[in-house]
Amino acid sequence: MSDDKITHFGYSQVPVQDKAARVRAVFDSVADRYDLMNDLMSLGIHRLWKRHAIELAGVRRGQRVLDLAAGTGDLTERFARIVGAEGEVISSDINAAMLSRGRERLTDLGLVGNLDYVLANAETLPFASDSFDCVTIAFGLRNVTHKQLAINEMFRVLRPGGRALILEFSHPTLQPLRRVYDLYSFTVLPNLGRVIVNDSESYRYLAESIRMHPDQETLRAMMEEGGFERCDYFNMTGGVVAIHRGYKL
């Protein structure tokens, strides 16, 4: 099989057309306890990472925001409160179970009226060009089959003057931290998955997908290739996570 017809699923090689379905299966498996697992895996630090991303997004009242790979809606929730009744937030995910879980959660919180939910693949967004003031994707880009296509689409749907934020696991900048991080990722995470959701393989895939994700400089170059300007990134927790930001000028 030629290289353009295969891609990585964690450390495995799979046909390109199969990856999206495999990713859906992973998140179907973990959807019901996704929030609990996030808290356990990161010791709650993921909330601080997301809070910083929201601050860097600079969203204001009345704006229109697209939250890709929205999952259970952590970023969507905060954006909906910021933009108010005059604005709009679209919560989008490729996985129906995750999108449904997010809708239930945000509805229970009383967030209705300025929210909509769209099942969509980030590589082919069903939105008009120049539609949003801000586009975000948190912990989702590494699961996309063709990452450059998703970045290109984020640029396309942004209005001039808009900005994109990519919050994602990245590459630790300190060698001692890398060793500890590897031990944690490939030993602790699968065991947590086995105990909490009876699924160690999905969390082994998540650990592997992080290692296959582009490093900080490579991802910045991909954003520039997609048309973004003034691209920068912010390492957090020693580079375990990075926030990339770019503007459509």
Side-chain angles (χ1 to χ4, degrees):
M1 188 175 294
S2 63
D3 289 345
D4 62 343
K5 293 183 179 180
I6 61 173
T7 188
H8 60 83
F9 178 75
Y11 289 161
S12 302
Q13 297 289 312
V14 299
V16 165
Q17 66 270 20
D18 291 353
K19 181 170 179 177
R22 288 177 179 242
V23 170
R24 288 192 192 98
V26 167
F27 287 94
D28 282 344
S29 174
V30 303
D32 287 344
R33 297 197 175 182
Y34 181 77
D35 291 326
L36 173 61
M37 280 297 295
N38 277 349
D39 283 330
L40 291 173
M41 288 190 302
S42 71
L43 304 177
I45 299 173
H46 74 98
R47 299 179 187 276
L48 300 178
W49 298 333
K50 291 171 181 174
R51 184 182 304 167
H52 191 37
I54 290 164
E55 291 170 354
L56 289 172
V59 170
R60 301 187 301 277
R61 193 168 189 85
Q63 292 191 327
R64 194 164 187 247
V65 178
L66 173 61
D67 184 18
L68 296 172
T72 55
D74 284 350
L75 269 66
T76 300
E77 175 190 349
R78 183 57 186 153
F79 286 139
R81 298 185 191 279
I82 293 172
V83 304
E86 302 92 339
E88 182 184 20
V89 180
I90 305 294
S91 176
S92 179
D93 204 291
I94 196 173
N95 183 273
M98 293 294 290
L99 196 64
S100 176
R101 181 72 185 90
R103 183 197 289 265
E104 291 171 3
R105 176 176 168 270
L106 298 183
T107 300
D108 288 344
L109 290 172
L111 290 171
V112 295
N114 66 347
L115 280 176
D116 200 2
Y117 301 86
V118 176
L119 187 68
N121 186 329
E123 297 176 17
T124 53
L125 296 175
F127 307 109
S129 300
D130 306 328
S131 296
F132 297 95
D133 298 290
C134 182
V135 179
T136 61
I137 183 167
F139 303 115
L141 185 62
R142 72 181 187 279
N143 296 311
V144 173
T145 304
H146 302 102
K147 296 175 178 62
Q148 189 64 58
L149 290 181
I151 291 169
N152 296 349
E153 280 289 89
M154 293 171 74
F155 183 83
R156 180 185 65 79
V157 301
L158 273 175
R159 293 168 177 160
R163 59 271 179 214
L165 275 291
I166 300 172
L167 169 62
E168 188 55 88
F169 289 107
S170 197
H171 293 238
T173 55
L174 302 175
Q175 188 62 40
L177 179 58
R178 292 177 189 173
R179 288 194 290 268
V180 173
Y181 187 46
D182 282 345
L183 180 64
Y184 178 78
S185 297
F186 291 103
T187 303
V188 177
L189 288 191
N191 284 330
L192 274 176
R194 177 178 55 80
V195 172
I196 302 300
V197 298
N198 195 30
D199 184 354
S200 62
E201 287 306 308
S202 288
Y203 284 91
R204 188 174 304 279
Y205 156 73
L206 293 176
E208 292 176 359
S209 71
I210 291 168
R211 301 313 186 280
M212 300 300 292
H213 188 66
D215 65 19
Q216 289 90 324
E217 285 295 331
T218 301
L219 184 53
R220 176 162 66 177
M222 292 172 69
M223 292 186 73
E224 291 171 346
E225 182 179 338
F228 287 100
E229 300 184 47
R230 292 167 52 195
C231 297
D232 54 3
Y233 63 84
F234 306 85
N235 283 322
M236 295 181 293
T237 317
V240 169
V241 164
I243 303 171
H244 283 70
R245 179 174 60 181
Y247 296 83
K248 182 175 182 176
L249 302 180

